[in-house]
């Protein structure tokens, strides 16, 4: 079910009304679980069983890690994490395995290629792993205080954590230590209306007005259509795609944050104006924060982080980024994308160690441009998962200098990208004193966004991150 | 703050509608093919009267210039099939007297999203009452349309551009590539069950139209001769005759494709589209004058 569909609106209203009925306040969590399962089942009901199976593994494993015999904690936690990884490996990476190692005509090859990709599996698998590791390590909370000793209550809370609809299919990736402490009865009067409103309006604006329109202009990045476009078109389309992917995913995350707030739950920011980043490290602290912090906490640190010498630091960085790349999709282009970012991070770290980091604003500005260009060109690997098509795109950029540019394509992309640029600039100047009088008219900005959502929405498209 | 924002937005929407109706009633801006499709569909659905004759098809018949076919409603949607057009036709109470159905891309996947916003009762009602909510009046599309003239000199200064104009296919370096891609796509293997299902669906719609008094006429757009000879077009022709025998149903047969070079193997060049429009009109006249004589 899409956040920008009418069935979702109806489900949301019904859930919201039932959720806050005083007589039913004991059933708030089950109400949200049922609503979330309906939300997930809407497209392909059969795949709910997989979600429930994944949740069951994490319920049982986390319960016995927390309350079982001490000597079994470690093996149960490892088995639980391994089962999560096996699930995602089977459903998400079997086609890649078949493509790479098997003949597509073979029975096994055909079987693996036809395995359906359950929507959101990358997200709920990582959430399950987060629960198991948090319970095993007890780094953030005391299991006996945080988790219910009743198996049925624990099952309810875990299923709720994994399936809560705002984050279920495209994140943000929740961590158990952030979410479990929040589970409890919520009151209507405690809703943070203003922050929920702002998140939802900005989120829908980014998604429905910007991303959904930009997608119809950047469509021509598809092979072989881009071959017939002029160099300047290709550059502008790539810029537009960079804006689109931000608007699409940041939009989704903001809607999720706003919806969760309506039910009394707080999700952390998932995007913090990433295109203003002055370094690759900063970019990854601003882009898809829930994934990068997950990878940092549950992969990079356990690998040793930067505590085991320089060479191991670079190796750990590369492993983390390549796996982070592959998390996005079952194609080698995603691994290459991760590797490129890993190399950029490693090079930046190496140069910083060797030559130091100049603190002049001119240097920061120039580096910011380099980071933006690098990130933007690397998105091409997202749009064109076939590596030879990426090469062909660059070849067309070099060859098509004499073709007539598409003026309307360029002006449209610029118009629909401008709000993303302004959104980032607004963050840079938000503390300036000369802006103080403007803050009184913030409502006008939200009014314009609502107006444009009503009058200028693009065709409803699935969120880009659904495929991950 | 929340209330203020919502009230201001609704006020803005009301003013926008008044301005649009009063000062820009004829402004229709489409910036991409999806928008162009939606505008066509909304123009048809919200139009004052049902056209007497309607062409339903894909981007192939979308090439036909409206000036060459006056009086026709055109529901030829880029990237879509005739089935999306059928659903649009059924949104009006009255059917057109004659429905011309393009048969080239009958097997293309259906688009579940295309009709969803048009068929949504809330949006339908809102758009029927407020023109400002229709796709042709999107404010950012209008702004970017106005920007074209500003962008042009800047882009020309940046790019070593050729004079604008459509390149003839013979000199288009990507023509061969595009043609080969279309030949490959038109020769792919198609699941026979899917073909049967699709023709059954077509039959359902046609029977429904005929049952309500409309005449259905099938036509196949000319394409590059190499594409016309591919397996899928041949299979479609064969199935068409099976499901819709020419003794019962009317056809405007595909003309000899040899003169049609096209831009990419399937889409006619502008001049070719004009030539075909003449053929189409003549064939239609022949069919209906013949019928008139029989009567």
């Amino acid at each position: 079910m899409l956040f920008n569909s009418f069935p979702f609106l109806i489900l949301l209203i019904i859930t919201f009304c039932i959720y806050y009925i005083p007589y039913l306040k004991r059933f708030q969590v089950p109400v949200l679980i049922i609503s979330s399962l309906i939300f997930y089942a809407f497209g392909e009901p059969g795949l709910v069983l997989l979600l429930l199976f994944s949740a069951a593994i994490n319920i049982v494993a986390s319960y016995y890690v927390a309350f079982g015999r001490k000597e079994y904690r470690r093996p149960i936690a490892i088995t639980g994490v391994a089962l999560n990884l096996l699930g995602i490996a089977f459903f998400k990476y079997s086609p890649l395995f078949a493509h790479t190692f098997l003949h597509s005509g073979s029975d096994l090859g055909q079987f693996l290629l036809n395995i359906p990709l359950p929507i959101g599996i990358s997200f709920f698998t990582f959430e399950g792993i987060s629960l198991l590791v948090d319970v095993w390590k007890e780094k953030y909370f005391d299991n006996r205080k945080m988790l219910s000793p009743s198996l049925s209550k624990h099952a309810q809370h875990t299923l709720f954590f994994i399936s809560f609809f705002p984050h279920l299919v495209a994140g943000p990736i929740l961590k158990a230590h952030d979410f479990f402490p929040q589970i409890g009865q919520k009151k209507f009067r405690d809703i943070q209306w203003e922050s929920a409103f702002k998140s939802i309006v900005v989120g829908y604006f980014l998604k429905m007005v910007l991303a959904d329109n930009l997608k119809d202009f950047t469509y021509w990045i598809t092979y072989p259509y881009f071959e017939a476009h002029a160099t300047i078109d290709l550059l502008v389309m790539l810029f537009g795609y960079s804006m689109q992917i931000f608007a699409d995913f940041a939009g989704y995350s903001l809607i999720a944050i706003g919806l969760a707030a309506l039910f009394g739950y707080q999700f952390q920011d998932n995007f913090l104006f990433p295109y203003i980043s002055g370094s690759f490290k900063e970019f990854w602290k601003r882009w898809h924060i829930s994934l990068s912090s997950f990878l940092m906490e549950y992969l990079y640190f356990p690998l040793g982080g930067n505590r085991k010498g320089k060479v191991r630091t670079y190796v750990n960085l590369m492993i983390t980024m390549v796996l982070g790349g592959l998390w996005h999709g079952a194609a080698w282009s995603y691994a290459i994308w991760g590797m490129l970012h890993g190399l950029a991070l490693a090079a930046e770290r190496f140069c910083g160690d060797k030559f130091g980091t100049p603190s002049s604003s001119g240097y920061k500005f120039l580096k910011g441009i380099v980071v933006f260009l690098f990130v933007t060109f690397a998105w091409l690997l997202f749009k064109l998962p076939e590596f030879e098509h990426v090469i062909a795109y660059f070849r067309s950029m070099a060859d098509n200098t004499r073709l007539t540019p598409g003026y309307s394509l360029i002006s449209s992309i610029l118009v629909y990208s401008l709000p993303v640029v302004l959104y980032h600039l607004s963050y840079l100047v938000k503390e300036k004193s000369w802006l103080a009088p403007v803050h009184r008219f913030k409502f006008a900005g939200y009014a314009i966004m609502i107006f444009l959502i009503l009058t200028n929405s693009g065709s409803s498209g699935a969120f880009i991150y659904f495929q991950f | 703050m929340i209330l203020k924002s919502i009230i201001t937005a609704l006020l803005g929407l009301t003013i926008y509608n008044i301005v649009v109706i009063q000062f820009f009633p004829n402004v229709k801006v489409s910036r991409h093919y999806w928008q162009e499709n939606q505008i066509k569909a909304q123009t048809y659905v919200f139009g004052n009267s049902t056209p007497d004759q309607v062409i339903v098809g894909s981007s192939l018949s979308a090439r036909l210039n409206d000036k060459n076919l006056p009086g026709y409603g055109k529901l030829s949607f880029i990237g879509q099939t005739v089935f999306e057009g059928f659903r649009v036709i059924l949104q009006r109470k009255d059917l057109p007297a004659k429905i011309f159905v393009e048969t080239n891309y009958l097997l293309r996947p259906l688009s579940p999203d295309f009709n969803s916003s048009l068929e949504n009762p809330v949006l339908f009602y809102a758009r029927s009452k407020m023109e400002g909510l229709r796709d042709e009046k999107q404010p950012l599309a209008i702004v970017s349309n106005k920007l074209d003239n500003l962008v042009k000199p800047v882009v020309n200064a940046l790019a070593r551009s050729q004079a604008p104009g459509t390149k003839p296919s013979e000199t288009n370096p990507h023509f061969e590539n595009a043609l080969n891609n279309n030949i490959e796509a038109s020769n792919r293997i198609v699941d026979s069950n899917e073909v049967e299902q699709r023709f059954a669906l077509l039959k359902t719609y046609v029977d429904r139209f005929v049952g309500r008094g409309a005449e259905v006429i099938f036509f196949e757009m000319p394409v590059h001769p190499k594409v016309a000879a591919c397996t899928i077009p041949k299979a479609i022709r064969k199935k068409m005759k099976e499901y819709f025998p020419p003794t019962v149903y009317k056809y405007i047969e595909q003309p000899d494709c040899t003169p049609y070079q096209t831009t990419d193997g399937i889409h006619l060049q502008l001049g070719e589209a004009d030539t075909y429009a003449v053929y189409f009109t003549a064939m239609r006249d022949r069919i209906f004058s013949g019928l008139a004589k029989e009567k």
Side-chain angles (χ1 to χ4, degrees):
Chain A
M1 198 181 277
L2 294 172
F3 281 169
N4 49 349
S5 65
F6 272 87
F8 174 72
L9 185 66
I10 292 162
L11 179 71
L12 179 69
I13 292 169
I14 293 171
T15 307
F16 186 82
C17 293
I18 298 173
Y19 185 77
Y20 284 112
I21 292 174
Y23 299 111
L24 296 175
K25 63 183 179 189
R26 283 193 308 125
F27 301 104
Q28 282 184 334
V29 169
V31 164
L32 286 181
I33 291 174
I34 292 167
S35 179
S36 300
L37 294 179
I38 294 170
F39 173 81
Y40 192 76
F42 195 74
E44 282 189 67
L47 292 176
V48 169
L49 293 176
L50 178 71
L51 176 69
L52 293 174
F53 183 67
S54 168
I57 289 171
N58 292 306
I59 289 164
V60 174
S62 60
Y63 186 80
Y64 284 101
V65 170
F67 301 109
R69 289 171 61 172
K70 210 173 179 181
E71 63 269 30
Y72 294 142
R73 290 184 64 186
R74 188 182 155 90
I76 293 173
I78 291 172
T79 310
V81 171
L83 287 173
N84 274 297
L85 292 175
L86 266 176
I88 195 171
F90 178 74
F91 283 99
K92 188 164 176 175
Y93 298 106
S94 292
L96 178 64
F97 179 83
H99 266 306
T100 312
F101 300 110
L102 300 173
H103 187 264
S104 60
S106 69
D107 288 345
L108 180 60
Q110 274 301 313
F111 169 72
L112 294 178
L113 285 172
N114 289 326
I115 290 171
L117 176 63
I119 196 164
I121 189 168
S122 308
F123 294 91
F124 63 71
T125 299
F126 271 27
E127 281 150 2
I129 292 172
S130 148
L131 173 66
L132 291 174
V133 175
D134 282 359
V135 171
W136 174 31
K137 297 273 186 190
E138 285 195 87
K139 188 172 150 189
Y140 298 100
F141 52 69
D142 180 347
N143 287 340
R144 289 182 188 272
K145 285 182 186 162
M146 188 55 59
L147 306 181
S148 169
S150 146
L151 179 59
S152 68
K153 199 85 179 164
H154 175 66
Q156 211 180 86
H157 287 180
T158 305
L159 183 56
F160 174 46
F161 163 61
I162 286 175
S163 68
F164 186 27
F165 68 83
H167 74 84
L168 175 58
V169 292
I173 299 167
L174 301 188
K175 291 173 194 89
H177 59 263
D178 288 329
F179 192 78
F180 268 73
Q182 296 186 51
I183 300 176
Q185 282 181 14
K186 310 289 178 184
K187 292 177 184 140
F188 185 79
R189 65 168 181 268
D190 292 338
I191 297 173
Q192 305 286 319
W193 284 105
E194 195 164 311
S195 81
F197 171 80
K198 285 177 177 175
S199 293
I200 289 172
V201 170
V202 176
Y204 276 113
F205 173 74
L206 287 173
K207 170 62 184 162
M208 294 174 72
V209 180
L210 304 186
D212 282 350
N213 276 299
L214 280 168
K215 92 172 185 309
D216 285 314
F217 300 113
T218 60
Y219 170 79
W220 304 108
I221 295 180
T222 319
Y223 178 82
Y225 303 117
F226 62 73
E227 290 189 328
H229 280 273
T231 301
I232 197 152
D233 290 355
L234 298 174
L235 285 167
V236 173
M237 281 200 288
L238 203 47
F239 171 77
Y241 186 65
S242 193
M243 299 296 119
Q244 179 198 337
I245 199 165
F246 167 78
D248 193 275
F249 195 21
Y252 188 94
S253 296
L254 282 168
I255 298 168
I257 289 167
L259 293 174
L262 290 180
F263 295 96
Y265 289 87
Q266 276 195 316
F267 292 173
Q268 290 188 332
D269 286 335
N270 209 20
F271 286 85
L272 211 56
F273 308 90
Y275 290 148
I276 60 154
S277 303
S279 69
F280 291 102
K281 190 177 173 188
E282 190 186 348
F283 176 78
W284 281 105
K285 284 186 182 297
R286 292 178 176 277
W287 181 274
H288 201 175
I289 299 164
S290 63
L291 174 68
S292 45
S293 61
F294 180 94
L295 292 173
M296 185 82 98
E297 281 179 50
Y298 298 101
L299 182 61
Y300 181 70
F301 289 158
L303 284 171
N306 60 0
R307 300 186 309 274
K308 296 192 172 177
K310 283 187 176 173
V311 177
R312 269 298 292 274
T313 303
Y314 292 128
V315 171
N316 292 341
L317 208 51
M318 289 304 292
I319 291 172
T320 306
M321 292 311 291
V322 170
L323 289 178
L326 262 183
W327 173 87
H328 286 86
W332 292 117
S333 62
Y334 292 108
I336 295 168
W337 174 81
M339 195 179 74
L340 285 175
H341 272 278
L343 283 171
L345 283 166
E348 184 176 85
R349 194 182 186 99
F350 177 80
C351 292
D353 289 349
K354 194 94 177 160
F355 310 111
T357 311
S359 57
S360 73
S361 51
Y363 172 81
K364 275 186 186 163
F365 176 75
L366 280 178
K367 198 170 164 201
I369 302 241
V370 171
V371 171
F372 175 74
L373 289 175
F374 181 94
V375 167
T376 296
F377 275 92
W379 288 136
L380 204 48
L381 289 156
F382 267 57
K383 184 73 177 164
L384 300 170
E386 300 282 336
F387 199 65
E388 55 267 36
H389 295 166
V390 176
I391 304 290
Y393 195 89
F394 283 112
R395 204 184 308 121
S396 297
M397 268 188 195
D399 293 346
N400 295 357
T401 52
R402 294 191 63 78
L403 293 185
T404 308
Y407 305 107
S408 68
L409 179 80
I410 292 170
S411 55
S412 299
I413 288 177
L414 294 181
V415 164
Y416 285 100
S417 299
L418 184 67
V420 178
V421 177
L422 292 176
Y423 181 68
H424 282 76
L425 288 178
S426 72
Y427 179 77
L428 285 175
V429 299
K430 69 173 182 176
E431 301 297 338
K432 304 284 181 196
S433 55
W434 51 264
L435 258 183
V438 179
H439 287 306
R440 280 193 298 143
F441 298 101
K442 259 187 176 173
F443 75 92
Y446 289 97
I448 291 170
M449 284 191 267
I450 295 169
F451 168 76
L452 288 172
I453 290 167
L454 294 172
T455 56
N456 214 112
S457 291
S459 60
S460 154
F463 292 86
I464 294 175
Y465 265 65
F466 274 13
Q467 64 189 300
F468 306 141
Chain B
M1 144 97 179
I2 298 174
L3 208 60
K4 246 168 109 174
S5 303
I6 293 171
I7 290 171
T8 312
L10 294 179
L11 201 66
L13 185 64
T14 312
I15 295 168
Y16 184 68
N17 266 287
I18 294 168
V19 170
V20 154
I21 294 168
Q22 287 300 317
F23 302 105
F24 309 106
N26 299 321
V27 168
K28 275 190 183 185
V29 179
S30 72
R31 303 297 286 176
H32 48 73
Y33 76 88
W34 185 273
Q35 199 176 15
E36 191 181 322
N37 287 344
Q38 289 293 326
I39 291 172
K40 268 186 206 169
Q42 288 169 14
T43 305
Y44 183 87
V45 170
F46 299 122
N48 292 332
S49 59
T50 307
D52 194 39
Q53 310 181 89
V54 170
I55 293 175
V56 192
S58 67
S59 57
L60 272 62
S61 51
R63 288 277 165 136
L64 297 172
N65 193 332
D66 293 344
K67 284 177 190 163
N68 293 324
L69 298 164
Y72 283 81
K74 208 159 82 182
L75 295 173
S76 301
F77 299 129
I78 301 167
Q80 311 297 322
T81 65
V82 291
F83 299 97
E84 285 80 31
F86 290 161
R87 283 171 66 174
V88 174
I89 286 179
L90 289 171
Q91 280 195 266
R92 285 191 76 96
K93 269 186 191 165
D94 304 324
L95 291 185
K98 297 180 182 71
I99 303 172
F100 294 87
V101 178
E102 178 204 303
T103 58
N104 297 66
Y105 274 93
L106 287 175
L107 301 183
R108 183 181 263 172
L110 303 178
S111 165
D113 296 330
F114 186 82
N115 301 80
S116 59
S117 81
L118 266 174
E119 291 173 0
N120 182 295
V122 179
L123 276 177
F124 184 89
Y125 180 78
R127 282 177 176 150
S128 69
K129 301 289 173 201
M130 300 173 90
E131 284 183 35
L133 291 177
R134 296 181 195 168
D135 280 44
E136 66 192 26
K137 301 281 195 283
Q138 289 195 346
L140 291 181
I142 294 171
V143 170
S144 61
N145 195 42
K146 296 280 175 208
L147 259 185
D148 283 355
N149 288 335
L150 286 176
V151 163
K152 215 168 177 175
V154 179
V155 171
N156 281 341
L158 288 171
R160 285 178 298 148
S161 165
Q162 284 183 335
T166 312
K167 285 172 150 243
S169 61
E170 292 79 12
T171 58
N172 181 348
H174 304 291
F175 173 72
E176 284 300 326
N177 232 353
L179 175 63
N180 289 335
N181 285 333
N182 280 315
I183 290 173
E184 196 183 323
S186 302
N187 272 327
R188 70 180 199 282
I189 298 164
V190 189
D191 183 351
S192 56
N193 282 334
E194 277 178 35
V195 176
E196 295 298 338
Q197 279 174 16
R198 191 55 67 86
F199 274 87
L201 181 64
L202 179 63
K203 184 98 172 77
T204 310
Y205 275 111
V206 170
D207 287 350
R208 197 167 166 185
F209 293 141
V210 172
R212 286 177 57 186
E215 278 186 281
V216 174
I217 306 99
F218 298 107
F219 70 100
E220 187 180 358
M221 288 290 293
V223 290
H224 192 279
K226 285 181 183 169
V227 176
C230 289
T231 50
I232 291 183
K234 279 183 181 171
I236 290 177
R237 272 172 226 135
K238 194 174 159 213
K239 277 280 158 209
M240 280 301 299
K241 302 286 155 78
E242 259 176 59
Y243 273 81
F244 306 100
T247 46
V248 181
Y249 293 91
K250 299 177 193 72
Y251 281 85
I252 295 179
E253 296 292 347
Q254 188 183 47
D256 175 17
C257 290
T258 318
Y260 294 96
Q261 282 305 292
T262 72
T263 60
D264 55 1
I266 53 174
H267 296 104
L268 299 183
Q269 295 178 29
L270 295 179
E272 293 171 345
D274 293 346
T275 308
Y276 178 70
V278 173
Y279 168 83
F280 181 91
T281 314
M283 292 307 288
R284 181 210 57 187
D285 290 346
R286 191 184 294 177
I287 289 172
F288 290 107
S289 63
L291 276 181
K293 276 177 200 166
E294 279 172 26
K295 279 177 188 170

